[in-house]
Amino acid sequence: MKKKQYVLIFFILSIVWIFGTNYVLSLYAPSNFVAVIEHSKEVLYVLLAGGFFYYFISKMEELSAAKEEEKRLSTLINSMVDFVNFKDGEGRWIQANDFGLKLFDIENVDYRGKKDTELAEYSNYFSDALNYCEISDEEAWKAGGIIRVEEVLPQPDGSVKTFDTIKVPLFNDDGSRQGLVIIGRDISERKNVENLLEESRQQYRSLFEYSLDIVSMLDLNGTITNLNPQFEKITGFRRDEYIGKNLADLIPESYRQKVLEKVASVVENCSPQMFELQLMHKNGKPLIFQSTTLPIIVNEKIAGIICNSRDVTELRETEERLRRTDKLSVVGELSASVAHEIRNPLTSLKGLVQLLQMEDEKHQLYYQIMIDELNRINHIVSELLLLAKPQQIKYTEADLQMILHDVISLLKTEASLHNIQIEFEVKDHPVIIECEPNQLKQLFINIVKNAIEASSGGDAVFITLESFDNNASIRVKDEGIGISKELLERIGEPFYSSKEKGTGLGMTVSFKIVQSHNGTIKFNSEPEKGTEVIVQLPIKHEEKMKNLEKSTK
């Protein structure tokens, strides 16, 4: 239509030029120059017409090139899997690719020249998203440069699509708004993978951070790269004191070779390994750990080692107590069958020796030795019967301080014979506990007597009594020869004694008395530095307390 208008204008102007110039020449041009002027006018017309056609053809070529370029651009943006949109300075849509039109469900809408709020009227589900686009565009204009934002677009099926959107504002030379280019890439799949990865990372972190066991991570050289917070709670040491250090420098020598072999086996064979080791708490208390080492596999290659260490100290102590209990049970059965068989002939032998002693004055020394040895055998049999026969304990209230005072009075003479002092700190108030007093006397006689026998002339045995909460603590400390670590582990075993003439039943009986009173007994000793025995007893007996609670109810 515009082409016809341009041609019509050309013809009109040409006719006006021809007739107009001829009329002007007939009125004003001299007759001698009419022919020259007419030819000049024709040449000028040809030049003007040629120039017009040249300009027109040039514009047509530019227009054709622009249309070709626009076609290429349209083909390009429509082939893109990203959302592409061009807007003018007022926010009106100039061009959008098919992906964008389909995204907002406006494929059949004449979108050109319309703003987002106007297009929102044509899309029921995406109207809110289109309205928000104007707000987001304004932020790009205010920023004055390229901005990058993540925009979430809910879908009719309930899912969401996330777009990584770049907005490029264009300005005129005078600073006014020229246009806005928007490119949005669908990163929903990537975001889902990132969310799954983050969820997996958080699950791993929860497993690592909140595990009740110690979880440590090692590199292939055995260097600790990370430790969970439980390490500090269990061992008392700070994590940064161990992270970055090698296992070979941290593990006690007695366990080092075994642990390093297990770690090397994990690296070489990529198979889990289990072992136990003992470490020290910061306060000096030994801790036993049951550890499992596992390979960390990344891209089908071992990248490190993860070690899970469970504190089994209480479990092993319980097993040791059960082992001792089983031994006591076996000893009790053996004692029951042996003690009675010994006591009957023992009584006869003792009576006969006493009869001979009365009739034969010549060999009194020998008879006395025989009676002493028979009394010793009788004492051993009594201890065997104590182990064999279940004792029905009747708990009564007694002053623990008076029990210790009686024991000290009994053994003070023996201690004085060896030039050993017994130091007992007397409390200004009684320590009343529920117990079987005679059994406790026997317990403390065994302990204090051992302390006296282990001491040398001029040494002292210190006895202290403390009470706290619902427990009483008795400490017996000597300055004697001490006990080696190997012997310390076997204290309380039946028939095991470090004494030349010891039966090994004294401490066994002591352990049983402590156990029957629901207490604990602990030995601290070093060779040549002395021994400390700590006995803790509950002030109120558990069974009696339960009966009292029932009676009050």
Side-chain angles (χ1 to χ4, degrees):
M1 188 66 181
K2 288 184 178 181
K3 292 179 180 179
K4 293 180 179 180
Q5 292 178 352
Y6 291 147
V7 172
L8 180 61
I9 292 172
F10 174 74
F11 279 118
I12 293 173
L13 292 175
S14 298
I15 293 171
V16 171
W17 170 266
I18 293 171
F19 287 102
T21 53
N22 289 335
Y23 177 74
V24 172
L25 287 174
S26 64
L27 292 177
Y28 302 105
S31 58
N32 295 332
F33 296 99
V34 170
V36 175
I37 293 173
E38 287 180 350
H39 290 301
S40 299
K41 181 191 69 168
E42 292 172 356
V43 172
L44 180 61
Y45 175 76
V46 171
L47 291 173
L48 290 173
F52 173 78
F53 279 111
Y54 177 78
Y55 174 78
F56 181 76
I57 291 170
S58 297
K59 289 297 181 181
M60 289 295 291
E61 289 178 350
E62 290 179 5
L63 181 62
S64 177
K67 288 185 177 181
E68 185 67 24
E69 189 67 26
E70 182 180 357
K71 184 177 179 181
R72 290 175 182 172
L73 179 62
S74 178
T75 302
L76 174 63
I77 64 175
N78 283 324
S79 65
M80 293 176 67
V81 294
D82 301 333
F83 165 54
V84 181
N85 189 8
F86 298 95
K87 297 179 181 179
D88 63 15
E90 299 297 326
R92 292 185 288 265
W93 286 40
I94 299 174
Q95 189 170 3
N97 63 347
D98 294 339
F99 180 88
L101 298 176
K102 185 177 180 181
L103 179 66
F104 289 104
D105 195 21
I106 52 173
E107 297 171 279
N108 300 320
V109 178
D110 183 13
Y111 64 87
R112 290 180 175 84
K114 293 183 175 62
K115 293 185 177 182
D116 295 293
T117 51
E118 295 173 338
L119 292 173
E121 298 177 1
Y122 297 93
S123 178
N124 294 328
Y125 192 83
F126 297 103
S127 58
D128 292 338
L130 287 166
N131 288 326
Y132 176 76
C133 285
E134 283 197 5
I135 300 173
S136 180
D137 292 349
E138 191 61 29
E139 293 176 358
W141 287 116
K142 290 179 180 179
I146 299 174
I147 67 168
R148 189 170 186 168
V149 294
E150 283 190 5
E151 296 181 335
V152 178
L153 190 64
Q155 299 298 302
D157 60 0
S159 62
V160 295
K161 286 187 176 182
T162 304
F163 287 85
D164 182 13
T165 305
I166 297 175
K167 297 193 176 186
V168 184
L170 305 175
F171 297 91
N172 295 312
D173 294 338
D174 60 358
S176 60
R177 299 179 179 182
Q178 182 183 16
L180 186 66
V181 180
I182 303 169
I183 301 174
R185 172 159 293 182
D186 187 356
I187 58 170
S188 304
E189 186 174 349
R190 191 188 81 189
K191 291 296 290 185
N192 289 336
V193 172
E194 289 178 354
N195 290 336
L196 290 174
L197 182 61
E198 180 61 25
E199 183 179 345
S200 176
R201 186 181 293 112
Q202 290 180 4
Q203 289 175 349
Y204 158 76
R205 184 179 300 169
S206 298
L207 179 63
F208 181 79
E209 296 286 338
Y210 301 109
S211 173
L212 296 178
D213 302 329
I214 295 176
V215 182
S216 56
M217 301 185 70
L218 316 172
D219 62 17
L220 298 181
N221 297 319
T223 301
I224 299 175
T225 58
N226 203 358
L227 284 165
N228 69 336
Q230 197 66 18
F231 173 81
E232 297 183 354
K233 296 180 181 178
I234 293 177
T235 67
F237 291 99
R238 298 197 315 272
R239 287 183 288 175
D240 55 15
E241 295 180 46
Y242 279 72
I243 294 176
K245 294 184 179 180
N246 196 279
L247 281 180
D249 302 326
L250 302 174
I251 296 176
E253 187 176 353
S254 57
Y255 294 92
R256 188 176 302 158
Q257 186 64 29
K258 179 179 73 172
V259 173
L260 293 181
E261 287 177 358
K262 295 289 186 180
V263 172
S265 179
V266 174
V267 176
E268 293 173 5
N269 304 320
C270 290
S271 60
Q273 297 290 327
M274 293 184 65
F275 56 89
E276 281 195 8
L277 76 159
Q278 181 174 302
L279 298 175
M280 301 301 292
H281 191 277
K282 192 172 184 179
N283 61 14
K285 178 184 176 182
L287 298 172
I288 302 174
F289 292 99
Q290 186 180 71
S291 300
T292 303
T293 52
L294 304 167
I296 301 174
I297 305 298
V298 179
N299 296 327
E300 299 182 354
K301 292 183 180 179
I302 182 169
I305 301 168
I306 188 166
C307 182
N308 188 82
S309 301
R310 176 164 295 178
D311 183 5
V312 294
T313 308
E314 291 186 4
L315 177 62
R316 294 295 177 262
E317 289 176 351
T318 302
E319 290 175 351
E320 178 62 21
R321 285 195 294 269
L322 289 174
R323 186 178 67 84
R324 289 178 180 271
T325 302
D326 290 340
K327 284 187 176 182
L328 284 175
S329 177
V330 172
V331 170
E333 293 177 4
L334 177 63
S335 301
S337 59
V338 172
H340 291 289
E341 297 296 328
I342 294 176
R343 177 157 283 182
N344 291 333
L346 187 65
T347 303
S348 301
L349 287 172
K350 187 175 180 180
L352 291 173
V353 171
Q354 288 174 341
L355 182 61
L356 290 172
Q357 188 179 20
M358 292 172 61
E359 296 179 354
D360 186 2
E361 297 181 0
K362 182 179 179 180
H363 301 94
Q364 288 296 316
L365 177 62
Y366 300 135
Y367 294 137
Q368 187 60 45
I369 293 173
M370 293 172 67
I371 289 175
D372 290 341
E373 292 303 315
L374 288 172
N375 286 333
R376 174 173 162 77
I377 295 173
N378 188 55
H379 175 72
I380 294 171
V381 170
S382 298
E383 289 186 332
L384 286 172
L385 288 173
L386 180 63
L387 290 172
K389 183 180 179 182
Q391 302 293 313
Q392 182 67 34
I393 301 176
K394 294 183 179 180
Y395 288 91
T396 60
E397 288 189 352
D399 184 359
L400 193 54
Q401 190 164 230
M402 291 302 300
I403 292 175
L404 290 171
H405 187 272
D406 292 342
V407 171
I408 293 169
S409 299
L410 181 64
L411 297 176
K412 199 167 187 178
T413 303
E414 182 178 350
S416 298
L417 291 174
H418 295 86
N419 193 24
I420 296 169
Q421 297 294 322
I422 299 179
E423 302 290 343
F424 177 49
E425 183 180 348
V426 180
K427 297 286 183 182
D428 56 0
H429 58 84
V431 179
I432 306 298
I433 69 168
E434 290 184 349
C435 63
E436 207 295 317
N438 290 328
Q439 286 197 3
L440 288 190
K441 286 181 181 179
Q442 184 176 356
L443 166 68
F444 295 123
I445 286 172
N446 289 339
I447 295 173
V448 176
K449 189 174 181 181
N450 285 342
I452 293 172
E453 293 175 353
S455 301
S456 303
D459 290 344
V461 175
F462 302 94
I463 303 174
T464 58
L465 171 62
E466 295 177 348
S467 60
F468 51 92
D469 296 333
N470 292 321
N471 290 285
S473 177
I474 304 93
R475 295 173 183 264
V476 179
K477 181 174 177 59
D478 63 62
E479 301 171 331
I481 59 175
I483 308 172
S484 66
K485 183 179 179 181
E486 293 75 14
L487 297 178
L488 201 61
E489 292 177 353
R490 299 191 63 182
I491 286 181
E493 290 187 11
F495 307 113
Y496 176 80
S497 175
S498 60
K499 301 176 186 177
E500 184 178 351
K501 296 184 178 181
T503 63
L505 294 176
M507 291 314 301
T508 305
V509 172
S510 299
F511 270 80
K512 186 169 185 179
I513 292 172
V514 172
Q515 182 183 2
S516 65
H517 282 76
N518 295 323
T520 61
I521 183 169
K522 181 181 178 182
F523 291 80
N524 298 322
S525 183
E526 290 185 32
E528 307 304 329
K529 291 186 178 180
T531 303
E532 181 183 41
V533 184
I534 305 170
V535 178
Q536 286 193 350
L537 299 170
I539 292 177
K540 294 291 185 181
H541 188 250
E542 186 178 356
E543 292 182 1
K544 186 168 183 179
M545 289 299 295
K546 288 181 179 179
N547 293 332
L548 288 174
E549 289 178 0
K550 290 180 181 179
S551 62
T552 54
K553 292 179 180 180

